[in-house]
Amino acid sequence: MPTAPLSDLSPISDLQWWGEQSFALGQTRSWQLGSLWLSLTRDLYEWRLEYHQPKRLSEYGLAWRSLDPEEALPQPIKLERYLFAETQAELLLLPRLADRSMVVKPINPIFIPAGQQGQLYVSTPLWLTAMTSRHTDPLFDLPIIRPNDTWFGPDTLKGEVCYATPVFGRTQLAHLPVSGLWAVTPIHFHNRSSRQLQLDRMNLPVDALPLFQSLDNGQLWTSEIEVTQESHTKPPKVRILQHTPQPAGRVRFINPPRNSDGGFFRMFDSFF
C-alpha cells in the first residue's frame, strides 16, 4: 500500500486531533481527549503541561474537542514544567501505541473449528506524545486512557507486566466504532490443527507494532497480526505482517514501533 509522508500533517477528517500546533508567547491551548483533559502553555523559557485524568476512567471514550479559553480543567490537576534556553512556537502532538502489550479478553468465548480461519478487528487506546523541532525524544508521553496493570504468563515467575482494559473487538470492520483515540489491529487466525480451538484471552504486542493513518477516513491502524495453529500440541505461530492492512486503504506512516527487537511474542497463555 502507498504510504504518505509525515511531513504533511493536514487533518484528514474530524477524527484527527493531533498535528503541528503553533503557540504565541504566553498562549494556552486546551483539549479534552476522551477522559483526558490537558492544557499546554508556552512561555519564553518553558512549556507547561497541566492535565486531569479521573480515577474512574471512561474506557470507551471516543470523542475529542478543543476547549474554550475560559473553560477550566476539572480537579485535581497535575502540573509538569519543561525548561528550555528559549522555546519555539511550534509543538508537534502525535498519537502513539501503548508502551506495553495489551491483554485482550473476549466478553464471549471465541471458537475456531478445525481447518477454519477467521478475522478479528481489535481497537486499543492510544498515548499522546509532544515533540519539539529540535529534539527526537518527546517532552511527555502519557496515556489518553490509562489501562489497568496486569500480569500475563503461565506463573508468577514467567511472564510480563501488561495492560488490561476493555477493548472493542469485532469480526466485521463495519461494526467497529470509529475513533481517533483508538487504533485498529487486524488479527487473522488459521486453525490448521485437528481440534477446535478456544480463545480465552490474548496478549496483543502493540508496543511492537507501527502506527498508520488511513487517508480515506482518518482512522488509525497498526500492522496485521497472523496467528497460525499447526498442531494442538504446540503453541501457535505469531507473525507481524510487514504490509499495511488492506481495509485501511491508502495510509501515511505516523510512528514506528516502540519495541523494534522483533522475535518471539507470547500472545496466548491458554489456546487449545
Side-chain angles (χ1 to χ4, degrees):
M1 294 291 174
T3 303
L6 186 58
S7 56
D8 178 15
L9 286 177
S10 56
I12 293 172
S13 72
D14 292 339
L15 297 180
Q16 186 172 323
W17 48 267
W18 46 270
E20 189 173 77
Q21 311 292 330
S22 184
F23 289 76
L25 277 176
Q27 183 180 9
T28 298
R29 301 182 65 179
S30 305
W31 298 267
Q32 181 186 2
L33 306 174
S35 57
L36 172 67
W37 299 64
L38 76 152
S39 289
L40 286 168
T41 303
R42 179 198 171 203
D43 285 337
L44 184 59
Y45 302 119
E46 69 175 289
W47 286 95
R48 288 201 310 276
L49 165 67
E50 296 177 275
Y51 65 96
H52 166 80
Q53 283 183 318
K55 292 183 178 180
R56 290 190 175 184
L57 299 181
S58 174
E59 289 91 348
Y60 295 109
L62 300 175
W64 74 276
R65 66 187 179 102
S66 297
L67 301 182
D68 295 331
E70 65 275 5
E71 193 170 357
L73 269 61
Q75 296 290 333
I77 294 174
K78 294 183 179 180
L79 171 64
E80 297 178 1
R81 302 170 65 189
Y82 304 91
L83 305 186
F84 284 77
E86 185 176 343
T87 61
Q88 303 298 311
E90 285 73 33
L91 194 67
L92 181 62
L93 300 181
L94 284 175
R96 205 172 185 186
L97 292 166
D99 54 2
R100 301 180 201 155
S101 295
M102 194 80 65
V103 174
V104 177
K105 186 175 182 181
I107 297 176
N108 301 308
I110 294 178
F111 299 93
I112 307 172
Q116 293 297 314
Q117 58 181 304
Q119 188 94 349
L120 188 66
Y121 295 96
V122 176
S123 58
T124 54
L126 294 166
W127 263 233
L128 164 67
T129 63
M131 310 284 293
T132 65
S133 59
R134 298 181 180 179
H135 294 81
T136 57
D137 294 329
L139 286 187
F140 56 83
D141 184 11
L142 69 155
I144 295 174
I145 296 173
R146 175 61 168 87
N148 296 321
D149 297 326
T150 190
W151 180 260
F152 188 89
D155 53 47
T156 56
L157 298 178
K158 297 179 181 180
E160 59 179 316
V161 178
C162 304
Y163 293 119
T165 187
V167 298
F168 296 106
R170 301 288 188 271
T171 56
Q172 297 184 53
L173 183 60
H175 296 165
L176 194 70
V178 178
S179 171
L181 307 181
W182 299 64
V184 178
T185 300
I187 308 172
H188 197 87
F189 299 94
H190 297 265
N191 181 10
R192 296 174 180 167
S193 72
S194 58
R195 293 188 182 182
Q196 177 169 273
L197 304 178
Q198 177 180 340
L199 174 60
D200 291 328
R201 66 175 189 160
M202 57 185 170
N203 187 22
L204 197 62
V206 292
D207 57 333
L209 301 177
L211 186 64
F212 306 94
Q213 185 187 31
S214 169
L215 294 175
D216 298 326
N217 67 357
Q219 178 66 57
L220 290 162
W221 288 78
T222 76
S223 293
E224 183 176 356
I225 296 177
E226 186 179 69
V227 179
T228 304
Q229 184 76 19
E230 299 285 357
S231 170
H232 67 274
T233 61
K234 297 179 181 180
K237 296 179 181 178
V238 179
R239 187 164 65 103
I240 296 175
L241 303 185
Q242 297 303 309
H243 57 79
T244 56
Q246 188 275 334
R250 299 177 305 119
V251 300
R252 63 181 176 188
F253 178 79
I254 303 300
N255 255 319
R258 290 180 182 265
N259 176 13
S260 57
D261 294 339
F264 175 76
F265 302 105
R266 188 182 187 92
M267 277 188 66
F268 307 97
D269 57 2
S270 58
F271 195 73
F272 52 87

